[in-house]
Amino acid sequence: MARVPRHRRLVLPLLCLLFQGATALLFAIFVRYNHETDAALWHWGNHSNADNEFYFRYPMKGFQDVHVMVFVGFGFLMVFLQRYGFSSVAFTFLVATFTLQWATLLQGFLHSFHGGHIHVGVESLINADFCAGAVLISFGAVLGKTGPAQLLLMALLEAVLFSVNEFILLSVLGVRDAGGSMTIHTFGAYFGLFLSRVLYRSQLEKSKARQSSVYHSDLFAMIGLPVRQLSPRRPWQPFLPMGSFLRTIFLWVFWPSFNSAPTALGDGQHRTVVNTYYSLTASTLSTFALSALVSGDGRLDMVHIQNAALAGGVVVGTSSEMMLTPFGALAAGFLAGTVSTLGYKFFTPVLESRFKLQDTCGVHNLHGMPGLLGAILGVVVAALATHDAYGDGLKSVFPLIAKGQRSATSQAVYQLFGMFVTLALAAVGGSLGGLLVKLPFLDSPPDSQCFEDQVYWEVPEEPEAETQRPLRTEDTTQA
Amino acid sequence: MARVPRHRRLVLPLLCLLFQGATALLFAIFVRYNHETDAALWHWGNHSNADNEFYFRYPMKGFQDVHVMVFVGFGFLMVFLQRYGFSSVAFTFLVATFTLQWATLLQGFLHSFHGGHIHVGVESLINADFCAGAVLISFGAVLGKTGPAQLLLMALLEAVLFSVNEFILLSVLGVRDAGGSMTIHTFGAYFGLFLSRVLYRSQLEKSKARQSSVYHSDLFAMIGLPVRQLSPRRPWQPFLPMGSFLRTIFLWVFWPSFNSAPTALGDGQHRTVVNTYYSLTASTLSTFALSALVSGDGRLDMVHIQNAALAGGVVVGTSSEMMLTPFGALAAGFLAGTVSTLGYKFFTPVLESRFKLQDTCGVHNLHGMPGLLGAILGVVVAALATHDAYGDGLKSVFPLIAKGQRSATSQAVYQLFGMFVTLALAAVGGSLGGLLVKLPFLDSPPDSQCFEDQVYWEVPEEPEAETQRPLRTEDTTQA
Amino acid sequence: MARVPRHRRLVLPLLCLLFQGATALLFAIFVRYNHETDAALWHWGNHSNADNEFYFRYPMKGFQDVHVMVFVGFGFLMVFLQRYGFSSVAFTFLVATFTLQWATLLQGFLHSFHGGHIHVGVESLINADFCAGAVLISFGAVLGKTGPAQLLLMALLEAVLFSVNEFILLSVLGVRDAGGSMTIHTFGAYFGLFLSRVLYRSQLEKSKARQSSVYHSDLFAMIGLPVRQLSPRRPWQPFLPMGSFLRTIFLWVFWPSFNSAPTALGDGQHRTVVNTYYSLTASTLSTFALSALVSGDGRLDMVHIQNAALAGGVVVGTSSEMMLTPFGALAAGFLAGTVSTLGYKFFTPVLESRFKLQDTCGVHNLHGMPGLLGAILGVVVAALATHDAYGDGLKSVFPLIAKGQRSATSQAVYQLFGMFVTLALAAVGGSLGGLLVKLPFLDSPPDSQCFEDQVYWEVPEEPEAETQRPLRTEDTTQA
């Protein structure tokens, strides 16, 4: 079996050590506890226990749920590729972990840099987790076709552009995007898609088709883990055992917390949870309906259920803190589930044949299109904002409108502009990222070694010869 | 392989669209944010941040844990049937999701209908999750023998009766049942059992026994996922890979939160958590003891461990908010684990042979009998309530006794009456439900297609011919 | 297949019943609700709702996360041994459950025994969970080589020594150890290792090597669950399917909550979360770097990733509530990941060959060495404590220094002394435990039945004959 060439074996460990060394150095120079985490600063202020609790506990709660969702949902169980299981989960873990450190620094410089220091608290952790979420979405588009060193460089670049985009939208343009329809989903999806476009491998099909015969679907069927058969045309398509359904359920259950973590306290968070919850129920129902309708014979497709059902969480990312109304949440979720299911059925094949885009996990259907829909929904709901509907709550949701600095219409225009900024930065960044990870010393795996754990992991020696024996035996017997 | 007949392929998508359309319409007409989730209403009131937090966060916390428990515990991983994995998890997801919307409306009309509108907040979400829990329990009794369209209709009916029963018990009779020993577990279990009785299939065994030979247990053993072999007598009995143990652990860990979510704040919730925690430890120990005792050769049965160990959570559903005492919690849990284990061993076979009841997941042992025990325990503990034991806490736990409108004895009688009301509504409702889902246009799967994913899912073509080849080869060689 | 001898079949159920009976009796005599969980006591006090909430909610939150981490992370998915899956997860469950009851009593006598009664509240539950965590760590060292009755006795003894050690450190010596680097990880690991030393089985290799041929790794590879092949030299080494990665992710995600659950409210908890989070990111990056460096061919080892990446949580157990600084957290995590990875690579083989220590799950690398490192880190950070750095926060973190009863240096000396006390008690306790569980009536499994579910579970009859047939067929054909 192919090994990493001798002189390049050091690329991954050296990158890890270099990156860790650099972030550690920057931490030593710049990062300090903020006033809530520093013992002296906190006790110097005259805080009552109630204040203490107040400051402490909300982020704690939000943080833990977001953390579970990013690492268990976006990360682990992202996809089960047949011979790429170790790499899928472990590279996700590596990339997300590095991003947490790196994003702490980037977002710190942009948002909490005072007196020469970055002041970190639990909000830093939540924001870093969001950045890791966007990087993992991009990862989904190139899964199996990139090595760990390439992914680290992708994360290095993407976190920078993510932070810049987030800063432009939230701080410069005054755009509202609590749940990240734009900053997380749209940005992450299109960054990954543009990057995947640059890495297009025209011969991937043939090289994989040769190998896929090793996996006889009957074996899967026999062991009681129903799986989607590898299509001979798209062998990199994930197979879906029960395990990956757990990812769907975790994301579905924690999405209300994810969208509500960064919104204003009180009615804002409460409303976000209610809207996200109902939107997800509607996207699930529409996914089941559409999946059965488009299949031709009334049967369902597990790929749709496990992915499109979640589009309701993406689509209300921007608007769930607004007065979307419960009915609005249902309608938005229904639309998102429909669009996402149709995307898997009709658009994914076109993406590859027409646009030369190999989107391993279908991030365009789950994050790209629903993210754009969510941005547009945000435009519409912002345009409809009135003092009557929000009362004094306008100060929390649309502070610039409340202060009279903007009309609802101009807020809507800013929201729309934010969407285009996101798309532009994702396109430029993803393309640059593609060129970056093509650098020869990063050792892009050759086509024949895509979707192969053997390249990166100490796994049992390739048993190809043995596994084929029974088949040959049979043939012999039958001949 | 059998397909859904052409003219009936549209039943499922049309039901999904119809139900979603209807609930969306009703949402548009009736459902509004409540005063905590509406921006204008909340900020109009003169709430301090502390109040805001107070109202907001408690339910948030309770909600997230209940949501995880219902969807991960009751739902996903409910059971792994060998060729029914996709259907088990996905139909659970579909049914639960629809129930959330539908229960929001039903419970809203009964509990929070003011000025022509239903006012939703996070308590609505918790209550809807509880209703979904009951529906999933019923689902467990008919799993594998009903199609998704049938299950949607079952949920439609059951949610109505659940809400009516809950309203009668909690609002009319003043019965206490925070953790739902009666309203959730007893109701869900007997609704499902009566429904299953109506759907009795006398030929199910034969048709399945023919198929089960495809699965050679040696394959399971070889791949290191120990499983319970299909009994040739009861081929619909779940097989239990490691994955389903995760369900047990999730339920076990989150049950204290589940029982405590709707109780009074303060000591009430705190006590509920403590009681449920200790009750679960005792049911686990008694399950291990009994499982080894009844096996005949001292070995344990994984079916007992994965199910009866949880009976301690069910049995204190009614009484865990009361002054049960830590010892009382241990005793109750011990009894529940014992009864549930004995039920799996001795009662399940009788249920089928004598009562023509095919209880796929054994809900009678985990939810039915422990639920009834829990209701009776509630009667006893209520009868023992004194002003001395509860102090001013009596106002929270037994407000009618505290106000002098009832004696402890009459509260106990009401509790007992509530149990019978629950049984009666479950019996009538389940029987009606059975007749409803037998409607011909719903396409009940024929016996030969029970427990088969192929009917509903786009899975690899049936590889029966191929999988049998190695066996034939062997035979040839040996002959 | 070997069965449990007839006259010994009753040992496990009798132990379960005896232990449950004894704890229930002690509960009846001694255990009472504390003032926060007792209806009368709570309402007798003049508590405002805010106080009520205050007391109630913090522990609630901490409790749920700790509970998930101990049962899902430490417990379930601890390890997947090929033919020992049922036993791994279920014995873990049994032992942890019993420990919760027993630790409630032991810790209650030491910490909350007033007026002849133990007063339990949610802090009792958290502390009992911590004790169960330590017992499960020890379990990891002897997994597969001990039966359930032996494990119950081990837990009986270990919980006593754990509680005594915890009492000496925290209450007598005034040592700080919030996240339990010493009391949980060091104690649990060395208790288990000494116990494992006493149980050393010199013939284990041979007896297992004979059996391991049943599992052809090609089958694993074919079903798409990549696994580590059993080494013929150490057949008890766990194989690592995807499932066990979930354990890693759960532990990684919940470790910040685990370390922060028992620390002081406010800045203390907040800082603990931040430190643990960053330490874990650094241990992950160093694990990837070191794993690739030591492999010789640049490939990664999944055993390292799934374990050493977590060492960052262990190493800051003592110091994460202190002013470790974000950079300090990164450095500590980096060091821990490095030491742990090197331990798996170079030290584990020596442990067995030189010290006759068969450490099934490698607890020495994940809990032992990082725990000691964490204790020493605590010594250093305590020695550096100044009034300037902590301000009034010194009262929460180092109350004895704040009161002037100790200098920072003497606190450091006490910390160091605490580490040695822990090691001494673990060594003595583990050795005693080894002698205890060797009692003949406990039926230690013979070498040939280690790592075998068949002994304890009703699983399908051993299909060895059948599984080997295909291979024989092949041989025949080839001959």
mmCIF file of all heavy atoms in Angstrom, chain A residues 99 114 137-138 256 399 438 469:
data_model
loop_
_atom_site.group_PDB
_atom_site.id
_atom_site.type_symbol
_atom_site.label_atom_id
_atom_site.label_comp_id
_atom_site.label_asym_id
_atom_site.label_seq_id
_atom_site.Cartn_x
_atom_site.Cartn_y
_atom_site.Cartn_z
ATOM 1 N N THR A 99 -9.145 25.404 14.825
ATOM 2 C CA THR A 99 -9.932 26.607 14.553
ATOM 3 C C THR A 99 -10.341 27.315 15.840
ATOM 4 O O THR A 99 -10.396 28.545 15.886
ATOM 5 C CB THR A 99 -11.177 26.245 13.725
ATOM 6 O OG1 THR A 99 -10.756 25.566 12.540
ATOM 7 C CG2 THR A 99 -11.957 27.483 13.341
ATOM 8 N N HIS A 114 -8.417 45.271 23.906
ATOM 9 C CA HIS A 114 -8.344 46.515 24.676
ATOM 10 C C HIS A 114 -7.021 46.548 25.412
ATOM 11 O O HIS A 114 -6.624 45.556 26.024
ATOM 12 C CB HIS A 114 -9.461 46.599 25.710
ATOM 13 C CG HIS A 114 -10.806 46.355 25.134
ATOM 14 N ND1 HIS A 114 -11.389 47.179 24.193
ATOM 15 C CD2 HIS A 114 -11.694 45.352 25.348
ATOM 16 C CE1 HIS A 114 -12.580 46.695 23.867
ATOM 17 N NE2 HIS A 114 -12.782 45.583 24.549
ATOM 18 N N ILE A 137 -18.460 22.976 7.830
ATOM 19 C CA ILE A 137 -19.362 22.942 6.666
ATOM 20 C C ILE A 137 -18.533 22.908 5.376
ATOM 21 O O ILE A 137 -18.780 22.084 4.490
ATOM 22 C CB ILE A 137 -20.315 24.163 6.690
ATOM 23 C CG1 ILE A 137 -21.320 24.024 7.834
ATOM 24 C CG2 ILE A 137 -21.037 24.294 5.353
ATOM 25 C CD1 ILE A 137 -22.120 25.287 8.120
ATOM 26 N N SER A 138 -17.530 23.765 5.283
ATOM 27 C CA SER A 138 -16.665 23.762 4.098
ATOM 28 C C SER A 138 -15.973 22.417 3.937
ATOM 29 O O SER A 138 -15.851 21.892 2.820
ATOM 30 C CB SER A 138 -15.598 24.857 4.213
ATOM 31 O OG SER A 138 -16.195 26.108 4.392
ATOM 32 N N PRO A 256 -32.346 24.697 18.144
ATOM 33 C CA PRO A 256 -32.921 25.868 18.827
ATOM 34 C C PRO A 256 -31.909 26.559 19.757
ATOM 35 O O PRO A 256 -31.841 27.787 19.801
ATOM 36 C CB PRO A 256 -34.094 25.276 19.609
ATOM 37 C CG PRO A 256 -34.514 24.087 18.811
ATOM 38 C CD PRO A 256 -33.230 23.505 18.281
ATOM 39 N N PRO A 399 -31.456 47.647 16.924
ATOM 40 C CA PRO A 399 -31.110 48.852 17.683
ATOM 41 C C PRO A 399 -30.994 50.101 16.800
ATOM 42 O O PRO A 399 -31.357 51.193 17.235
ATOM 43 C CB PRO A 399 -29.763 48.485 18.326
ATOM 44 C CG PRO A 399 -29.270 47.271 17.623
ATOM 45 C CD PRO A 399 -30.462 46.586 17.070
ATOM 46 N N LYS A 438 -3.452 23.452 -2.927
ATOM 47 C CA LYS A 438 -2.808 22.716 -4.017
ATOM 48 C C LYS A 438 -1.284 22.806 -3.951
ATOM 49 O O LYS A 438 -0.594 22.176 -4.770
ATOM 50 C CB LYS A 438 -3.282 23.264 -5.364
ATOM 51 C CG LYS A 438 -4.573 22.636 -5.865
ATOM 52 C CD LYS A 438 -4.937 23.216 -7.209
ATOM 53 C CE LYS A 438 -5.511 22.169 -8.152
ATOM 54 N NZ LYS A 438 -5.989 22.802 -9.401
ATOM 55 N N ARG A 469 -11.054 -13.556 -2.095
ATOM 56 C CA ARG A 469 -10.982 -14.997 -2.236
ATOM 57 C C ARG A 469 -12.345 -15.693 -2.241
ATOM 58 O O ARG A 469 -12.628 -16.466 -3.130
ATOM 59 C CB ARG A 469 -10.075 -15.599 -1.160
ATOM 60 C CG ARG A 469 -8.815 -16.160 -1.792
ATOM 61 C CD ARG A 469 -8.036 -16.906 -0.756
ATOM 62 N NE ARG A 469 -7.183 -16.007 0.000
ATOM 63 C CZ ARG A 469 -6.696 -16.311 1.190
ATOM 64 N NH1 ARG A 469 -6.987 -17.462 1.770
ATOM 65 N NH2 ARG A 469 -5.922 -15.464 1.815
#
